[in-house]
Structures are given as structure tokens and as C-alpha cells.
Amino acid sequence: MRGRGNARSSQALAVSWCPATWHPRLDMGRLLRPRSSTSHRNLPHLFLFVLFVGPFSCLASYSRATELLYSLNEGLPAGVLIGSLAEDLRLLPGAAGRRDAQSQLPERTGAEWNPPLSFSLASRGLSGQYVTLDNRSGELHTSAQEIDREALCLEGGGGSAWGGSVSISSSPSSDSCLLLLDVLVLPQEYFRFVKVKIAIRDINDNAPQFPVSQILVWVPENAPVNTRLAIEHPAVDPDVGINGVQTYRLLDYHGMFTLDVEENENGERTPYLIVMGALDRETQDQYVSIIIAEDGGSPPLLGSATLTIGISDINDNCPLFTDSQINVTVYGNATVGTPIAAVQAVDRDLGTNAQITYSYSQKVPQASKDLFHLDENTGVIKLFSKIGGNVLQSHKLTILANGPGCIPAVITALVSIIKVIFRPPEIVPRYIANEIDGVVYLKELEPINTPIAFFTIRDPEGKYKVNCYLDGEGPFRLSPYKPYNNEYLLETTKPMDYELQQFYEIAVVAWNSEGFHVKRVIKVQLLDDNDNAPIFLQPLIELTIEENNTPNAFLTKLYATDADSGERGQVSYFLGPDAPSYFSLDSVTGILTVSTQLDREEKEKYRYTVRAVDCGKPPRESVATVALTVLDKNDNSPRFINKDFSFFVPENFPGYGEIGVISVTDADAGRNGWVALSVVNQSDIFVIDTGKGMLRAKVSLDREQQSSYTLWVEAVDGGEPALSSTAKITILLLDINDNPPLVLFPQSNMSYLLVLPSTLPGSPVTEVYAVDKDTGMNAVIAYSIIGRRGPRPESFRIDPKTGNITLEEALMQTDYGLHRLLVKVSDHGYPEPLHSTVMVNLFVNDTVSNESYIESLLRKEPEINIEEKEPQISIEPTHRKVESVSCMPTLVALSVISLGSITLVTGMGIYICLRKGKKHPREDENLEVQIPLKGKIDFHMQERKPMDISNI
């Protein structure tokens, strides 16, 4: 692969260097630094300094060192020319500079060095991987190993700048990445040591990438508007400069946030989350969005991560009671430790902000506090001591619910003590189901008649009949358990559904004939089971997206609900097996994206399934169908089925006749695919039907005026902006036989030609020359004599192909006079040939003594019988080849004369003397034999009068 392209910098910098006597003040790094404009301005002065100091500091050494700096893009293929060391070191023939004693340059003979130069790397190292050096020409090319700037200069490169023949170096600037080589120029007598630096330029071949896929940011719910929070884990892009990360954005700002990007002095960009509205954790405790990082390449590359914004709680809510007062009844024989009531307040905050403690108000008498104990954590009031006979029958307990930093909430419990003379009935439970602290736990969907507990109902004194019943709502039944007396079984009456109701509170009530009632409260808590599959809001998800979308474009956010609780209700999202590989679905957020550009012309509709799976054991799932329609953009120009169209049309084609159809298509749809055709040039002659693409001519076309037309037809679609294309149309007119031959010579029927009696047989006399404006067989002309008049007109013959008229027989005394030949000139047109006629007048005589007499003969209407003989068909075109009239008759005549008598010779001499005055015409006659009849001038024509040639 030849050609340097971007591989080589606009100018290679070459600097001579004497390693043994390096001057401490001559900083070659500054000399070769291309980015500093000051360095470029000082280069001439530095070179003059080097040239001046060099001879004095390097007199003892003939070796010379040079530095060359090149630059090229990363990722180039093998064989790209980086630079020519021979050219840049000015070692080629004709290069500037002169050879002196110190340079020790080899002598050149002709165009080459003698002995020849050799280029080689000081040692192989990494050179075999990234570059190749031509030993003879000194050309440096990229090798088969592709150069990856990010791999070469990771973490800023390493080591010494010249640590070996080939090494990698990265300057403190993140934009610099150098490949360093040591090159030797041999043979030894003019040795050179060349240091080559190759700067690797960055291209946008890496997309930004966040170090984590899930980013969590906490924002206090009382954060004021315009609060700025740095987002940790910013995106990383191995590319540098404009190809690095340039900006960030959120896919959904939720109307509450925005993003800003700050750049520090090192050029690192950090995204900041800015609060734009008032937050309330109790209303919404988190926001989920997608954060997108975009670099500055062309086209830009994107990276994304899930950003979860959590709203942290502050103590902005206080405890509240749902009721202001409760009434409690306690029997005088109640057992110590029996819970008589419970109060519960609610604080909407979280954690320590929602901790509630309960206490009695200072207004509560100490006697009431001693009788009833209040649990400060649970709010349960229990009988703390036995109720004596002197205890007040009514107690007012004022209870406070205390929260951190809040005014206590207040509720009043009015406790009434009923003195009992007789012992009330007893209820003794024996639980079958799992029971903890008075709460029975049942699995949902337990079968009907699932037993919960046995209850024994009895009168402690055995005097009274005891009855019982079940109080409360729920699918439960309390029935006697036979054959035992006073035994009752509590069981379910139908399956229970956790998603409908999770908690039941019922009571078994017993009373005796004296009217004493006893209640045993049973709390039933249902345990959730994974009995519900996730449900999509819509079984068919219809989406649209415009084609040529950006990579990783957002399509939609899937949402499925699961009525189960806990992990059983957590839903994950997955693509179905029929989904194309370039669609991706975030399993946590349900965000559906497409990673590549979609082309509607390639595929317009996509239909595949997505799954919602819960975390139950075993897991349950549901399926929905995604129907994606790719909307059209005007990204395709109209396309002609052929680049060039050619039509063959017979001439004299009627106006607005159909010439041909111009077929054009547009891969776009709708208005973008509507195509309008128009004639760009020669629209005054041609018009095109936009709907059918039919090309028509407005006027009749004549091939003889113009044999072909070249048109340009433009097709414009209906998009915004409109796209167009053009096609070349060639119209070739086919000839029809609409022109008869046109006789150019003789010019008039009144013209005549003097023919001398001495003309030899076989000699050409004159010709008939005609042309036909048609082409092909329509222009092939045949000549024939169709009528004769004169003393012996059959003495003349016409060539059917050339029109040459020759003398067939020798003229005699009786042949003197006017010979008139009616010549028919006919073409070979189809279906009917056309023809013209012309009168050829030949006057046989020695001289033209009486022209008026000849003219009178010409004016008389000749009586000529028309012969019906058709001319011989000629297949040669009208362009006749140059022919020389055969000289054989002349040679025969000369032979006869040479063998004749002296008398005949003497007579001929006398005759020639008499005709001496007319020598030029005879010379012209001799010229007729040599000059082609098609272009000759007839010098025997005594009178050439213009006339109209009649057409038959």
C-alpha cells in the first residue's frame, strides 16, 4: 500500500546531534516539540547554532546522529508509508546539501550511491510488531500488527525515551504517545545514527464506559433547589482530547433534577446532579434513570449506566394516633399480666426518626399507674396487680406518644372495672396451626377445613351452662367437636388469598346463663406463597422509532406487576429467544434499548417476545410481545433502474408519441418515496409523464436535422429536504426513407458536354453524382439509364454504383450530334425506394462552333421512351472509394497506333497541330483518368446553367 495519507506529518524534523559532546544548553526536546509555535519561530536560530557549534564539538568523530519526528493515526492497516528516511535525511540524488569532509557521504555514480546505503534497526525489539524498514530505500511502513494507542501508552508509557532500538514513550501530556526507534545508516565509513520518533495520533475507537453498571446517589429530602451533588464513578474513555468524554445527560430527569458537568484543571469532567424541585421521601423515596456519557468523536460514541437517586429521610413527621380515646373493660377477677388494651401511634419517617416511646401523662394518678402497666415500646397496657375490693371502678389513663424532636401525641384510655361475684366461663385454646405470641400463621391457599385450634369451653364452678360463638369476619368456622362436650374446633371454610387480605382478627366468645361473657382474641396472619406470575400492563407493546437512530437508543420502559410480596414479587426482565441480538433489556429497570442503527429499507417491522420473571421458588413468568415499527426518514435518493437509457425511435415520430418508459424507484415510504420526474435540458422538445415515467416528444423529430438527442432526466422525491438523482437518456432516431436522392451533378438538364470523336472506347466521359440525406440502405444509390435519344446513344453506359458514364464503342462519323441520356438515380429504401431523374446531354463533335444551335436542340422536348429496367442493386454506401479509370483501352489503342502506317502517324501529327490551340482540354481529359470522378471538375462542360432536377 503506497501513499502516506495521514501517516506522516507535514514535515519531518531532522536535527544533527553529537552524542559525545552534548551541549547542556541545547535542549533537543524543545527543538523537536511540534506544538510550540515559539519553537518553530526559533528553529532557524537553533539550526544556525547547531551548524556553528557542531564542527567544533564533533571534530574527533565522523559519525552523525539525527532525530526524525513522524506522526500517524492508530489502527492503520499494514503497508502504510510512514516516511522515507533517505528522502527526509536528504540522501537521495538531487537532495539539497553538499558533501564535505566531515559528513563522509559516499560518492555517487549516476543516480545511486557507491557503495549503496543500507538502513537497519539497531536491534529488533518491538519493531517487528509495529513497523517495517526497507533496508535499501529507507522507507518506513506500518506492519501487520495494528497499532493501538491505548494499549501502547497505557498509564503514560514507561521508561527511558531511548531505552533500546524500539520503545514506547508517553509525555506528561495525555495526548502524546511516541514510538521510538534507533536506525543505523551503513556502511561504516559513512555511518549515521538516526533516532526516529513516531507520534501515535488518537482516533475515536473507544466508547465511554462507566466503572459500575449501577450508580447510587443519596439526596436528603430537605435538600434545597440548586443543590449540587457529585456523581461518583464517572465514565472513563481511553481515548484522549476531543475523543474523550465530553458531556453527560439523563434519559429521564423526572422533572426534579438536571445535570451539569465541571472540568478541573487536569481536563477531567465530573457530572453533578442538581436538584430542581422540592423533594418528599414520604411521597417518593427514589428515582431511577439512565445516565449517558457521550464523547466528542464523529460520530460520537455513548456509554450508559443505571442511576438510582435515593431520597434520604429527615425527621419531618411526628407520631399520630388514629383515635383520641378508647374504652376498656376489665373484670375484677382478671389475671395479673393480662393485656387489657394496646395503643399504637404512627410516624411516617424512617429509622430513628420514626422511633416512638409511650408514657403516661403526669396527670395520671399514681394509683392508676401502679394498677396498669404501660409498655413504653409496644404501647400494650397490662394488669400489673390484682384488683382489690377498694380499687376505683373507673380509671382515666392519658397516654403520650413521644418522637424525637416532636410534641407528643395524646390518647385517652377509659378503663372500667367490673366487679365479679361469680367466676366467668373459661376458654382454653389448644393450637394446631403454628402460633407465636398469640398470632396464628397460616399459608395462603390452604385447603378448605384446615384446622386451626381446639377450644375447651367450661364453667369453673360447674353450675352453669356455657355457650360460645365466633365473633369477627373471615373464612372461619367454630363448631362443636363430637362426641366430646364443650370441645370446639376452629377451622377454615374456604381457601384464603394473601393478595386479598393478609390479616384477620377474630374472637371466641363464651357466656353462661348468668350473662357473664368471656372473649379470647385470635389473630391470624397469612403467609405469602408464590402463586402469582408477573403481569405486563399490556400483552402487546407497540413501539415506533425513526430509522438511523443513535446507538443505544431508548425504546421504552417495560413494567410488570406481581401481587406476591417480598422476593416473590420482585420482577426481572429478559428478552425472548426470538429477539435480535442488537436489542438489549435491562433486567432490573426494564429499559429496552437498541444498540445499532435501524434501517427501515432493510427491515421495517420487528416482533419478538419479552419475559417478566419473579424471584419465587419455583419462579413464575409471563410473556409479552414487542411490535416495533421503524419509521421512514428520507435517507434514500431516487434510483433509476439504469444509469443510462437508450431509445431507438423512427424519425417523423408524431408529436407526444410514447418514446419509452423511464423507470425509477425510491426505497423510502410515503411522501419520502414519491418521485417526480422532469427533463433538465431540452425541455422545449421533450416532456416526461411524472406518474407513468413515459417520455414523449412534443414535436415530430427529423433525423436529417438531428440524428440523436442526449437528455438528462432528474428524479426528485417528496422528502424534506428532498433528495434527487439524474439519469442520462440517449434518443437515437432511426432513418426512414423520406428523402429521394439529390443530384448534384449535372447541375441542369440544359447542361451539355462536348465529346470528341477521338475518344477511345472505355474512356470515362462524365458522371452523375447524387447524395441521399437518409442513412443505411435508404442512402445506397443506384444509377441507370432509362431513356436514350441521339444518333447512337447506346454507345454510352453508366456504372450503376458510381454513376460514371463511359464510352462503350468507338465513335463514327454518323455519331456526330447531340446524345441525350435520361438517368434515373434510385435509393434502396424500404418499403418503397425513392428516385430522381436527370438529363445528361453529350454533344459529339470536334468543336462547339454554334452554341445557339445546341441550345435550341436542348430546348426541344425530347421524345424518349422510358425503359422499365430496374437498376442493379448496390449494397455499398454512397461514399464511393477513389478509383482510377482503367488504362487498358488506352494501352491497346497505343499499340495499334505504333503498329500502324507512317501515314496514320503523320495524319495524327497534323491533327494534333491543328488542335494545338485546344491542348488544355485534352490534358484535362487525360487528367480525368487519374482524378476520381466523384471530385473531378469537367472541363468539357461548355455551359453550366442552373436547373431544377425533376423527381419522379
Side-chain angles (χ1 to χ4, degrees):
M1 177 178 179
R2 300 285 297 178
R4 301 186 181 184
N6 292 330
R8 189 180 176 196
S9 62
S10 61
Q11 183 178 6
L13 298 178
V15 180
S16 297
W17 176 55
C18 181
T21 57
W22 173 254
H23 198 284
R25 294 183 180 271
L26 187 55
D27 186 354
M28 299 304 294
R30 293 184 179 178
L31 184 61
L32 294 178
R33 190 171 300 147
R35 292 185 179 87
S36 174
S37 60
T38 305
S39 299
H40 284 289
R41 290 194 299 268
N42 293 332
L43 275 177
H45 303 287
L46 291 176
F47 279 121
L48 290 175
F49 179 80
V50 173
L51 293 175
F52 180 79
V53 176
F56 298 98
S57 60
C58 301
L59 290 175
S61 175
Y62 291 110
S63 64
R64 301 179 64 187
T66 304
E67 289 185 6
L68 295 178
L69 175 61
Y70 299 97
S71 64
L72 76 160
N73 291 341
E74 64 174 325
L76 292 176
V80 175
L81 177 62
I82 300 174
S84 174
L85 272 63
E87 178 182 350
D88 297 329
L89 294 173
R90 298 187 176 183
L91 300 179
L92 294 178
R98 59 185 180 181
R99 185 166 57 91
D100 55 14
Q102 290 185 2
S103 66
Q104 293 296 314
L105 293 178
E107 298 182 356
R108 287 179 287 180
T109 60
E112 297 183 355
W113 297 102
N114 186 20
L117 295 178
S118 174
F119 300 84
S120 62
L121 296 172
S123 63
R124 287 300 168 185
L126 297 176
S127 62
Q129 296 184 22
Y130 301 110
V131 297
T132 59
L133 177 63
D134 191 311
N135 294 337
R136 296 300 302 274
S137 65
E139 290 185 346
L140 198 63
H141 295 82
T142 57
S143 68
Q145 177 67 35
E146 183 176 292
I147 297 177
D148 187 355
R149 183 189 181 280
E150 289 72 30
L152 287 176
C153 297
L154 187 65
E155 302 296 336
S160 171
W162 298 100
S165 66
V166 181
S167 62
I168 307 300
S169 175
S170 179
S171 71
S173 174
S174 61
D175 292 346
S176 299
C177 177
L178 298 177
L179 183 66
L180 309 177
L181 301 93
D182 292 342
V183 179
L184 303 178
V185 182
L186 299 175
Q188 188 64 33
E189 55 266 35
Y190 27 84
F191 167 79
R192 281 198 180 192
F193 182 71
V194 183
K195 292 183 177 293
V196 179
K197 293 183 179 181
I198 303 176
I200 309 301
R201 292 194 296 262
D202 182 57
I203 64 173
N204 192 25
D205 57 344
N206 292 279
Q209 185 174 5
F210 288 90
V212 294
S213 60
Q214 302 282 339
I215 301 175
L216 177 61
V217 177
W218 287 101
V219 182
E221 65 175 327
N222 64 341
V225 176
N226 293 327
T227 298
R228 300 171 65 87
L229 299 168
I231 298 178
E232 298 181 358
H233 310 296
V236 177
D237 193 333
D239 296 324
V240 297
I242 192 66
N243 295 327
V245 178
Q246 298 297 315
T247 184
Y248 293 85
R249 68 175 187 272
L250 290 180
L251 198 60
D252 185 2
Y253 291 91
H254 297 285
M256 303 294 292
F257 305 95
T258 186
L259 274 186
D260 190 18
V261 180
E262 290 186 4
E263 183 177 357
N264 60 17
E265 58 186 7
N266 296 328
E268 298 176 350
R269 289 178 168 84
T270 302
Y272 280 80
L273 183 69
I274 302 177
V275 179
M276 300 301 293
L279 303 175
D280 186 4
R281 189 207 62 79
E282 287 72 29
T283 302
Q284 186 169 351
D285 59 354
Q286 75 173 13
Y287 299 84
V288 179
S289 184
I290 301 296
I291 183 170
I292 298 174
E294 181 176 334
D295 63 23
S298 181
L301 301 179
L302 308 177
S304 63
T306 300
L307 177 64
T308 301
I309 305 171
I311 310 303
S312 59
D313 184 61
I314 64 169
N315 189 28
D316 59 345
N317 291 279
C318 290
L320 292 175
F321 286 109
T322 57
D323 299 316
S324 61
Q325 178 179 309
I326 60 174
N327 297 317
V328 181
T329 301
V330 180
Y331 290 98
N333 62 347
T335 305
V336 175
T338 301
I340 64 171
V343 295
Q344 186 176 8
V346 178
D347 192 330
R348 297 176 61 193
D349 291 328
L350 292 176
T352 58
N353 295 328
Q355 290 181 355
I356 301 174
T357 59
Y358 301 91
S359 63
Y360 285 126
S361 171
Q362 295 180 359
K363 298 179 181 181
V364 178
Q366 187 63 39
S368 298
K369 294 180 181 179
D370 295 338
L371 183 60
F372 303 104
H373 176 265
L374 174 64
D375 191 302
E376 66 175 4
N377 293 321
T378 63
V380 175
I381 304 173
K382 294 182 180 180
L383 184 63
F384 190 67
S385 62
K386 187 174 181 180
I387 299 174
N390 298 325
V391 175
L392 295 176
Q393 294 184 352
S394 178
H395 296 264
K396 182 178 181 180
L397 305 178
T398 302
I399 302 171
L400 306 179
N402 304 290
C406 291
I407 299 175
V410 180
I411 189 172
T412 302
L414 298 178
V415 182
S416 299
I417 299 176
I418 300 175
K419 291 186 178 181
V420 178
I421 300 177
F422 301 99
R423 295 175 64 183
E426 294 181 351
I427 302 175
V428 181
R430 297 186 300 277
Y431 292 99
I432 303 172
N434 185 26
E435 181 266 340
I436 301 175
D437 295 333
V439 180
V440 177
Y441 293 92
L442 293 177
K443 291 183 178 181
E444 68 171 327
L445 301 180
E446 287 281 4
I448 301 176
N449 301 327
T450 297
I452 299 175
F454 278 110
F455 290 91
T456 301
I457 310 297
R458 62 189 178 185
D459 181 13
E461 299 181 358
K463 299 179 180 180
Y464 305 100
K465 182 181 179 180
V466 179
N467 295 314
C468 70
Y469 66 91
L470 187 64
D471 185 26
E473 300 292 333
F476 306 101
R477 177 175 59 218
L478 183 67
S479 58
Y481 190 75
K482 296 180 180 181
Y484 303 102
N485 294 325
N486 298 328
E487 296 287 342
Y488 294 87
L489 176 65
L490 179 64
E491 59 184 354
T492 61
T493 59
K494 64 179 181 180
M496 291 175 287
D497 191 349
Y498 176 88
E499 286 70 40
L500 297 179
Q501 188 170 346
Q502 298 88 30
F503 184 80
Y504 296 89
E505 185 172 322
I506 57 178
V508 176
V509 180
W511 80 98
N512 59 18
S513 57
E514 295 296 323
F516 286 100
H517 291 74
V518 176
K519 180 185 293 187
R520 169 71 70 169
V521 176
I522 300 107
K523 298 178 180 179
V524 180
Q525 176 67 55
L526 292 186
L527 300 177
D528 188 26
D529 208 353
N530 192 31
D531 59 334
N532 292 278
I535 299 175
F536 283 100
L537 296 180
Q538 295 176 334
L540 178 62
I541 304 168
E542 296 181 332
L543 306 174
T544 59
I545 186 174
E546 280 193 342
E547 63 175 331
N548 303 330
N549 55 283
T550 58
N552 301 317
F554 172 81
L555 294 177
T556 189
K557 179 176 172 44
L558 302 180
Y559 185 71
T561 59
D562 194 314
D564 294 323
S565 62
E567 292 183 353
R568 293 171 292 274
Q570 294 180 1
V571 180
S572 299
Y573 302 91
F574 303 95
L575 291 172
D578 55 344
S581 60
Y582 38 84
F583 289 94
S584 59
L585 179 61
D586 191 296
S587 61
V588 178
T589 64
I591 292 178
L592 180 64
T593 58
V594 56
S595 61
T596 187
Q597 283 190 347
L598 300 179
D599 188 355
R600 188 204 66 83
E601 290 72 38
E602 181 178 340
K603 189 172 183 180
E604 182 178 8
K605 293 185 181 295
Y606 296 85
R607 192 179 184 93
Y608 52 89
T609 57
V610 290
R611 299 185 301 127
V613 183
D614 63 23
C615 297
K617 295 181 180 180
R620 291 177 175 267
E621 69 175 52
S622 61
V623 178
T625 301
V626 174
L628 176 62
T629 301
V630 182
L631 303 180
D632 184 57
K633 291 181 69 175
N634 192 29
D635 58 343
N636 290 277
S637 301
R639 183 177 180 181
F640 291 91
I641 61 172
N642 296 318
K643 294 182 179 179
D644 298 326
F645 292 84
S646 296
F647 297 102
F648 294 88
V649 180
E651 64 174 329
N652 301 331
F653 197 67
Y656 290 95
E658 297 179 353
I659 295 176
V661 176
I662 308 300
S663 299
V664 62
T665 60
D666 195 311
D668 295 322
R671 290 191 58 87
N672 296 332
W674 295 352
V675 179
L677 297 173
S678 62
V679 178
V680 177
N681 61 326
Q682 305 212 31
S683 58
D684 55 333
I685 301 177
F686 297 95
V687 67
I688 192 167
D689 185 352
T690 298
K692 298 180 180 180
M694 182 62 70
L695 182 64
R696 305 173 187 270
K698 297 180 181 179
V699 297
S700 179
L701 305 178
D702 187 357
R703 190 204 64 79
E704 285 71 38
Q705 294 183 0
Q706 187 170 342
S707 61
S708 64
Y709 295 86
T710 300
L711 312 178
W712 289 96
V713 173
E714 182 181 36
V716 181
D717 61 23
E720 290 292 339
L723 301 177
S724 63
S725 60
T726 57
K728 180 181 179 182
I729 313 297
T730 301
I731 300 174
L732 302 174
L733 296 182
L734 301 178
D735 185 54
I736 64 174
N737 194 26
D738 59 342
N739 290 281
L742 176 63
V743 178
L744 299 180
F745 185 82
Q747 299 179 356
S748 169
N749 287 340
M750 298 299 291
S751 301
Y752 65 93
L753 176 69
L754 177 63
V755 179
L756 299 177
S758 59
T759 302
L760 300 178
S763 299
V765 177
T766 186
E767 71 167 346
V768 176
Y769 180 65
V771 295
D772 196 313
K773 294 182 179 180
D774 296 322
T775 60
M777 294 301 296
N778 296 332
V780 176
I781 298 175
Y783 301 89
S784 62
I785 299 175
I786 61 174
R788 305 170 185 265
R789 184 175 178 81
R792 195 157 57 97
E794 63 274 7
S795 301
F796 300 94
R797 184 184 67 86
I798 189 168
D799 190 310
K801 294 182 180 180
T802 63
N804 290 341
I805 298 177
T806 57
L807 181 62
E808 288 291 295
E809 300 176 358
L811 296 175
M812 298 181 294
Q813 189 68 28
T814 57
D815 294 333
Y816 283 71
L818 182 62
H819 295 256
R820 310 195 73 176
L821 306 177
L822 182 59
V823 177
K824 179 180 180 181
V825 184
S826 177
D827 60 25
H828 290 84
Y830 179 83
E832 182 178 354
L834 302 179
H835 66 272
S836 301
T837 59
V838 65
M839 187 71 71
V840 178
N841 301 303
L842 302 175
F843 186 69
V844 179
N845 201 3
D846 293 330
T847 60
V848 180
S849 58
N850 192 352
E851 293 184 3
S852 60
Y853 170 72
I854 299 174
E855 291 178 358
S856 64
L857 294 178
L858 294 174
R859 283 194 291 268
K860 291 181 180 180
E861 188 69 26
E863 295 180 1
I864 300 177
N865 295 326
I866 303 299
E867 302 175 2
E868 296 299 331
K869 180 180 178 182
E870 291 294 331
Q872 183 179 354
I873 301 298
S874 174
I875 61 173
E876 296 184 4
T878 57
H879 301 286
R880 294 176 293 178
K881 298 181 179 179
V882 177
E883 298 177 349
S884 295
V885 179
S886 177
C887 297
M888 185 60 67
T890 305
L891 294 176
V892 173
L894 292 176
S895 299
V896 173
I897 294 173
S898 62
L899 298 176
S901 62
I902 297 174
T903 304
L904 183 57
V905 174
T906 303
M908 288 298 295
I910 296 172
Y911 177 76
I912 291 174
C913 291
L914 294 175
R915 298 294 295 172
K916 186 176 182 181
K918 298 180 180 181
K919 181 178 180 180
H920 294 290
R922 187 169 301 278
E923 292 176 355
D924 295 337
E925 183 179 4
N926 294 333
L927 290 175
E928 284 184 11
V929 179
Q930 301 176 1
I931 299 176
L933 296 177
K934 180 178 179 180
K936 72 180 180 66
I937 300 175
D938 194 341
F939 295 100
H940 297 320
M941 189 64 66
Q942 298 296 320
E943 179 183 3
R944 298 186 179 180
K945 298 182 179 178
M947 65 171 292
D948 294 331
I949 300 176
S950 61
N951 295 333
I952 298 179

